[in-house]
Amino acid sequence: MEPDAENMQLEFSNKAYDSFLQLRTEYPCLSFDVVLDKEGSTTKYPLSMTLLCGSQADSSQKNHLILLHIKNICRTKHDELSDDDSEDSYIGDEGENDDSGEDEEEEEVNNGEPLVNHRLIAHYGTANRVRCCPTKDTSLVAVWSDAGHVQVFDTESDIRLLTDFSNYTKEQAKAWKSTEAKKKSPLRFCTDSSSHQTEGYGLDWSTVRAGAFASGDCSGALCVWHPSDDGRWQCAASNRAVGQSIEEIQWSPTQGDVLLTTRAGGVVEVWDTRDMRASKVSWQADPTDINVASWNRARQASHLLATGAESGAVAVWDLRKIATAEPIQRLPWHRRAISSVEFSVHNESVLSVTADDGQCTLWDLSLERDPGEERQVVGELFDRPDLTNIPDQLMFQHQGLVHPKEAHWHQGIPGMVVTTDYNGLNLFRPMNWKSLMK
């Protein structure tokens, strides 16, 4: 989308999506996360998911964490073909709509419309960053507030109330008859004023060390938190040297004592939490701020790191070869600041990118162009001027977002992407999702 077309009203084609849903929230959400589904992956419609969003209200007292349970997400119904929307004008996965195997749909409920239930958890201040603990059998979520502290909430009761209402209410009814019955606050922990002197955005849970997370603020302070015996967290290591703002934190997917940070000014640093006096490795990744990063969590691709910069540059790095400070791949497409990058958990070569140009793009980094095969597949579309400048690895382009902030792949629904922007949430699964997940 060209910069001078920001106010253009875009209309989407149903044929481009296997599933597409838009949700509006009372206040914009700067950050959200997908609640881990304990039942594992599924592709069978209707789908369901649980999301946790942090609001950006017009006053600190009005903010909440919004827990959304969305069910009955059905396959998108295609409109009647128009004169300029023929079957040959769309390129997708052959036989994508065949109702066979796991994709078989159940009987339609609520006329195919989604059902949305929600719970509100009080939170003081704008939620700068929301991250759910990736460990199974836990419902912990860490939240960076613009009030200058990080809080940890236990959302298990609220999640069960939304997803397992019948059994949960029966258990609560029995519990109220006992003398031990007492309603617990979801707030489990809050950092003290000595940990962070200002607000921040860097926040991430370790996938290797259970219950450990790290937080970084706008003054450059970095803290590592480990769970303690009293059910709270204690600062196990820190570096509070004043420096450039920490924009992003990513834990190593294979080592419990290694994490990296990205900073304003374009520097990426790798830290060993056993010695936090200084970073072990650092390099200049971009002349502008590195806003976001994603460390590939697939073991066979755990040496790959994607970064997104204020300049709009997206780069992929091989952490085994960072001495040269040159990325192994660049994705030259977005023209505004990058606000989110994330590798798919179902295909280590697939990456989502979101930018302030109103787009969320999906890339397959493993692809190399084969003009002969491409001409055979797309036919007359091969030489169209508006298609010749599209990068080989660009697989899907979702447009029309207004100041998008984050995009996340759903861990339990292959091919499903959720984005947040000024207007609310977009849940979409492109028609070519099977090709992306191969």
mmCIF file of all heavy atoms in Angstrom, residues 302-332:
data_model
loop_
_atom_site.group_PDB
_atom_site.id
_atom_site.type_symbol
_atom_site.label_atom_id
_atom_site.label_comp_id
_atom_site.label_asym_id
_atom_site.label_seq_id
_atom_site.Cartn_x
_atom_site.Cartn_y
_atom_site.Cartn_z
ATOM 1 N N SER A 302 17.041 -23.095 15.566
ATOM 2 C CA SER A 302 17.216 -22.225 16.730
ATOM 3 C C SER A 302 18.384 -21.255 16.588
ATOM 4 O O SER A 302 18.633 -20.451 17.485
ATOM 5 C CB SER A 302 17.401 -23.072 18.001
ATOM 6 O OG SER A 302 18.532 -23.917 17.878
ATOM 7 N N HIS A 303 19.106 -21.321 15.467
ATOM 8 C CA HIS A 303 20.179 -20.356 15.205
ATOM 9 C C HIS A 303 19.681 -19.145 14.435
ATOM 10 O O HIS A 303 20.460 -18.226 14.152
ATOM 11 C CB HIS A 303 21.296 -21.027 14.405
ATOM 12 C CG HIS A 303 20.815 -21.626 13.104
ATOM 13 N ND1 HIS A 303 20.146 -22.824 13.050
ATOM 14 C CD2 HIS A 303 20.902 -21.173 11.830
ATOM 15 C CE1 HIS A 303 19.836 -23.091 11.779
ATOM 16 N NE2 HIS A 303 20.285 -22.103 11.028
ATOM 17 N N LEU A 304 18.387 -19.102 14.105
ATOM 18 C CA LEU A 304 17.846 -18.017 13.300
ATOM 19 C C LEU A 304 17.152 -16.971 14.165
ATOM 20 O O LEU A 304 16.380 -17.296 15.073
ATOM 21 C CB LEU A 304 16.856 -18.558 12.270
ATOM 22 C CG LEU A 304 17.417 -19.490 11.192
ATOM 23 C CD1 LEU A 304 16.310 -19.951 10.268
ATOM 24 C CD2 LEU A 304 18.544 -18.807 10.420
ATOM 25 N N LEU A 305 17.408 -15.712 13.855
ATOM 26 C CA LEU A 305 16.795 -14.583 14.536
ATOM 27 C C LEU A 305 16.276 -13.609 13.493
ATOM 28 O O LEU A 305 16.985 -13.268 12.543
ATOM 29 C CB LEU A 305 17.810 -13.876 15.438
ATOM 30 C CG LEU A 305 17.343 -12.574 16.097
ATOM 31 C CD1 LEU A 305 16.369 -12.882 17.231
ATOM 32 C CD2 LEU A 305 18.531 -11.763 16.608
ATOM 33 N N ALA A 306 15.042 -13.157 13.667
ATOM 34 C CA ALA A 306 14.468 -12.134 12.794
ATOM 35 C C ALA A 306 14.341 -10.839 13.578
ATOM 36 O O ALA A 306 13.940 -10.849 14.748
ATOM 37 C CB ALA A 306 13.107 -12.575 12.266
ATOM 38 N N THR A 307 14.693 -9.711 12.951
ATOM 39 C CA THR A 307 14.565 -8.404 13.594
ATOM 40 C C THR A 307 13.775 -7.457 12.703
ATOM 41 O O THR A 307 13.806 -7.557 11.474
ATOM 42 C CB THR A 307 15.951 -7.775 13.880
ATOM 43 O OG1 THR A 307 16.681 -7.658 12.639
ATOM 44 C CG2 THR A 307 16.740 -8.620 14.858
ATOM 45 N N GLY A 308 13.061 -6.537 13.350
ATOM 46 C CA GLY A 308 12.309 -5.516 12.629
ATOM 47 C C GLY A 308 12.680 -4.142 13.153
ATOM 48 O O GLY A 308 12.698 -3.915 14.375
ATOM 49 N N ALA A 309 12.986 -3.205 12.260
ATOM 50 C CA ALA A 309 13.532 -1.904 12.645
ATOM 51 C C ALA A 309 12.546 -0.772 12.398
ATOM 52 O O ALA A 309 11.569 -0.909 11.656
ATOM 53 C CB ALA A 309 14.831 -1.641 11.885
ATOM 54 N N GLU A 310 12.839 0.373 13.014
ATOM 55 C CA GLU A 310 12.041 1.578 12.832
ATOM 56 C C GLU A 310 12.081 2.036 11.380
ATOM 57 O O GLU A 310 11.127 2.659 10.891
ATOM 58 C CB GLU A 310 12.579 2.687 13.755
ATOM 59 C CG GLU A 310 11.761 3.952 13.774
ATOM 60 C CD GLU A 310 10.433 3.793 14.494
ATOM 61 O OE1 GLU A 310 10.279 2.819 15.269
ATOM 62 O OE2 GLU A 310 9.536 4.641 14.273
ATOM 63 N N SER A 311 13.147 1.706 10.675
ATOM 64 C CA SER A 311 13.290 2.099 9.267
ATOM 65 C C SER A 311 12.407 1.297 8.328
ATOM 66 O O SER A 311 12.296 1.628 7.149
ATOM 67 C CB SER A 311 14.757 1.924 8.842
ATOM 68 O OG SER A 311 15.138 0.559 8.933
ATOM 69 N N GLY A 312 11.800 0.216 8.818
ATOM 70 C CA GLY A 312 11.022 -0.675 7.975
ATOM 71 C C GLY A 312 11.811 -1.882 7.503
ATOM 72 O O GLY A 312 11.279 -2.744 6.792
ATOM 73 N N ALA A 313 13.077 -1.963 7.907
ATOM 74 C CA ALA A 313 13.931 -3.085 7.493
ATOM 75 C C ALA A 313 13.620 -4.329 8.320
ATOM 76 O O ALA A 313 13.505 -4.264 9.547
ATOM 77 C CB ALA A 313 15.399 -2.706 7.660
ATOM 78 N N VAL A 314 13.503 -5.452 7.625
ATOM 79 C CA VAL A 314 13.350 -6.761 8.266
ATOM 80 C C VAL A 314 14.537 -7.611 7.854
ATOM 81 O O VAL A 314 14.824 -7.745 6.659
ATOM 82 C CB VAL A 314 12.030 -7.446 7.848
ATOM 83 C CG1 VAL A 314 11.920 -8.814 8.507
ATOM 84 C CG2 VAL A 314 10.836 -6.573 8.214
ATOM 85 N N ALA A 315 15.236 -8.158 8.836
ATOM 86 C CA ALA A 315 16.441 -8.940 8.546
ATOM 87 C C ALA A 315 16.393 -10.256 9.297
ATOM 88 O O ALA A 315 15.836 -10.351 10.392
ATOM 89 C CB ALA A 315 17.694 -8.152 8.937
ATOM 90 N N VAL A 316 16.995 -11.279 8.682
ATOM 91 C CA VAL A 316 17.114 -12.599 9.307
ATOM 92 C C VAL A 316 18.598 -12.870 9.511
ATOM 93 O O VAL A 316 19.398 -12.730 8.585
ATOM 94 C CB VAL A 316 16.476 -13.700 8.434
ATOM 95 C CG1 VAL A 316 16.613 -15.058 9.115
ATOM 96 C CG2 VAL A 316 15.008 -13.371 8.155
ATOM 97 N N TRP A 317 18.950 -13.252 10.750
ATOM 98 C CA TRP A 317 20.343 -13.433 11.134
ATOM 99 C C TRP A 317 20.621 -14.884 11.491
ATOM 100 O O TRP A 317 19.774 -15.559 12.070
ATOM 101 C CB TRP A 317 20.683 -12.551 12.343
ATOM 102 C CG TRP A 317 20.329 -11.113 12.180
ATOM 103 C CD1 TRP A 317 19.097 -10.545 12.374
ATOM 104 C CD2 TRP A 317 21.203 -10.056 11.772
ATOM 105 N NE1 TRP A 317 19.142 -9.194 12.116
ATOM 106 C CE2 TRP A 317 20.420 -8.861 11.753
ATOM 107 C CE3 TRP A 317 22.551 -9.985 11.441
ATOM 108 C CZ2 TRP A 317 20.958 -7.624 11.406
ATOM 109 C CZ3 TRP A 317 23.081 -8.754 11.097
ATOM 110 C CH2 TRP A 317 22.299 -7.596 11.086
ATOM 111 N N ASP A 318 21.833 -15.333 11.155
ATOM 112 C CA ASP A 318 22.328 -16.629 11.604
ATOM 113 C C ASP A 318 23.223 -16.361 12.808
ATOM 114 O O ASP A 318 24.306 -15.780 12.668
ATOM 115 C CB ASP A 318 23.114 -17.326 10.488
ATOM 116 C CG ASP A 318 23.509 -18.754 10.848
ATOM 117 O OD1 ASP A 318 23.599 -19.060 12.060
ATOM 118 O OD2 ASP A 318 23.733 -19.557 9.929
ATOM 119 N N LEU A 319 22.769 -16.755 13.992
ATOM 120 C CA LEU A 319 23.502 -16.435 15.216
ATOM 121 C C LEU A 319 24.835 -17.161 15.310
ATOM 122 O O LEU A 319 25.658 -16.839 16.171
ATOM 123 C CB LEU A 319 22.635 -16.776 16.434
ATOM 124 C CG LEU A 319 21.363 -15.928 16.577
ATOM 125 C CD1 LEU A 319 20.526 -16.405 17.762
ATOM 126 C CD2 LEU A 319 21.709 -14.455 16.724
ATOM 127 N N ARG A 320 25.081 -18.090 14.422
ATOM 128 C CA ARG A 320 26.383 -18.751 14.383
ATOM 129 C C ARG A 320 27.392 -17.938 13.584
ATOM 130 O O ARG A 320 28.596 -18.227 13.616
ATOM 131 C CB ARG A 320 26.246 -20.140 13.748
ATOM 132 C CG ARG A 320 25.261 -21.075 14.462
ATOM 133 C CD ARG A 320 24.958 -22.298 13.620
ATOM 134 N NE ARG A 320 24.390 -21.935 12.315
ATOM 135 C CZ ARG A 320 23.997 -22.821 11.401
ATOM 136 N NH1 ARG A 320 24.095 -24.118 11.660
ATOM 137 N NH2 ARG A 320 23.500 -22.413 10.246
ATOM 138 N N LYS A 321 26.891 -16.896 12.859
ATOM 139 C CA LYS A 321 27.771 -16.137 11.963
ATOM 140 C C LYS A 321 27.590 -14.638 12.135
ATOM 141 O O LYS A 321 27.584 -13.884 11.167
ATOM 142 C CB LYS A 321 27.474 -16.516 10.506
ATOM 143 C CG LYS A 321 27.577 -17.999 10.210
ATOM 144 C CD LYS A 321 27.145 -18.300 8.779
ATOM 145 C CE LYS A 321 27.200 -19.787 8.468
ATOM 146 N NZ LYS A 321 26.746 -20.092 7.092
ATOM 147 N N ILE A 322 27.443 -14.192 13.378
ATOM 148 C CA ILE A 322 27.176 -12.773 13.592
ATOM 149 C C ILE A 322 28.440 -11.936 13.695
ATOM 150 O O ILE A 322 28.368 -10.719 13.886
ATOM 151 C CB ILE A 322 26.321 -12.575 14.858
ATOM 152 C CG1 ILE A 322 27.005 -13.208 16.075
ATOM 153 C CG2 ILE A 322 24.939 -13.137 14.660
ATOM 154 C CD1 ILE A 322 26.267 -12.962 17.353
ATOM 155 N N ALA A 323 29.603 -12.565 13.574
ATOM 156 C CA ALA A 323 30.858 -11.798 13.630
ATOM 157 C C ALA A 323 30.921 -10.762 12.505
ATOM 158 O O ALA A 323 31.503 -9.692 12.663
ATOM 159 C CB ALA A 323 32.056 -12.743 13.553
ATOM 160 N N THR A 324 30.295 -11.072 11.370
ATOM 161 C CA THR A 324 30.320 -10.155 10.234
ATOM 162 C C THR A 324 29.222 -9.091 10.309
ATOM 163 O O THR A 324 29.238 -8.135 9.549
ATOM 164 C CB THR A 324 30.153 -10.936 8.924
ATOM 165 O OG1 THR A 324 28.898 -11.645 8.958
ATOM 166 C CG2 THR A 324 31.284 -11.937 8.744
ATOM 167 N N ALA A 325 28.273 -9.279 11.227
ATOM 168 C CA ALA A 325 27.157 -8.348 11.399
ATOM 169 C C ALA A 325 26.388 -8.122 10.107
ATOM 170 O O ALA A 325 25.906 -7.024 9.826
ATOM 171 C CB ALA A 325 27.647 -7.020 11.971
ATOM 172 N N GLU A 326 26.293 -9.179 9.305
ATOM 173 C CA GLU A 326 25.538 -9.116 8.064
ATOM 174 C C GLU A 326 24.428 -10.160 8.103
ATOM 175 O O GLU A 326 24.686 -11.334 8.365
ATOM 176 C CB GLU A 326 26.435 -9.374 6.854
ATOM 177 C CG GLU A 326 27.253 -8.171 6.418
ATOM 178 C CD GLU A 326 26.387 -7.034 5.907
ATOM 179 O OE1 GLU A 326 25.346 -7.309 5.269
ATOM 180 O OE2 GLU A 326 26.740 -5.864 6.156
ATOM 181 N N PRO A 327 23.172 -9.745 7.848
ATOM 182 C CA PRO A 327 22.083 -10.730 7.856
ATOM 183 C C PRO A 327 22.187 -11.687 6.682
ATOM 184 O O PRO A 327 22.761 -11.350 5.645
ATOM 185 C CB PRO A 327 20.830 -9.857 7.757
ATOM 186 C CG PRO A 327 21.296 -8.619 7.060
ATOM 187 C CD PRO A 327 22.708 -8.398 7.521
ATOM 188 N N ILE A 328 21.637 -12.862 6.834
ATOM 189 C CA ILE A 328 21.647 -13.839 5.748
ATOM 190 C C ILE A 328 20.494 -13.589 4.783
ATOM 191 O O ILE A 328 20.489 -14.112 3.668
ATOM 192 C CB ILE A 328 21.576 -15.279 6.289
ATOM 193 C CG1 ILE A 328 20.294 -15.488 7.113
ATOM 194 C CG2 ILE A 328 22.804 -15.603 7.119
ATOM 195 C CD1 ILE A 328 20.076 -16.919 7.541
ATOM 196 N N GLN A 329 19.524 -12.765 5.203
ATOM 197 C CA GLN A 329 18.391 -12.481 4.333
ATOM 198 C C GLN A 329 17.737 -11.162 4.753
ATOM 199 O O GLN A 329 17.635 -10.854 5.939
ATOM 200 C CB GLN A 329 17.349 -13.612 4.427
ATOM 201 C CG GLN A 329 16.420 -13.701 3.246
ATOM 202 C CD GLN A 329 15.695 -15.041 3.201
ATOM 203 O OE1 GLN A 329 15.775 -15.837 4.124
ATOM 204 N NE2 GLN A 329 14.984 -15.300 2.122
ATOM 205 N N ARG A 330 17.311 -10.388 3.769
ATOM 206 C CA ARG A 330 16.557 -9.168 4.018
ATOM 207 C C ARG A 330 15.213 -9.271 3.297
ATOM 208 O O ARG A 330 15.137 -9.852 2.207
ATOM 209 C CB ARG A 330 17.317 -7.930 3.518
ATOM 210 C CG ARG A 330 18.638 -7.677 4.235
ATOM 211 C CD ARG A 330 19.282 -6.391 3.738
ATOM 212 N NE ARG A 330 20.620 -6.191 4.280
ATOM 213 C CZ ARG A 330 20.886 -5.589 5.426
ATOM 214 N NH1 ARG A 330 19.876 -5.127 6.168
ATOM 215 N NH2 ARG A 330 22.123 -5.434 5.844
ATOM 216 N N LEU A 331 14.188 -8.682 3.893
ATOM 217 C CA LEU A 331 12.858 -8.710 3.299
ATOM 218 C C LEU A 331 12.432 -7.279 2.974
ATOM 219 O O LEU A 331 11.816 -6.591 3.795
ATOM 220 C CB LEU A 331 11.851 -9.356 4.272
ATOM 221 C CG LEU A 331 12.224 -10.750 4.789
ATOM 222 C CD1 LEU A 331 11.148 -11.272 5.726
ATOM 223 C CD2 LEU A 331 12.458 -11.727 3.641
ATOM 224 N N PRO A 332 12.776 -6.792 1.782
ATOM 225 C CA PRO A 332 12.518 -5.399 1.408
ATOM 226 C C PRO A 332 11.086 -5.196 0.903
ATOM 227 O O PRO A 332 10.818 -5.322 -0.291
ATOM 228 C CB PRO A 332 13.544 -5.154 0.297
ATOM 229 C CG PRO A 332 13.707 -6.502 -0.342
ATOM 230 C CD PRO A 332 13.491 -7.534 0.731
#
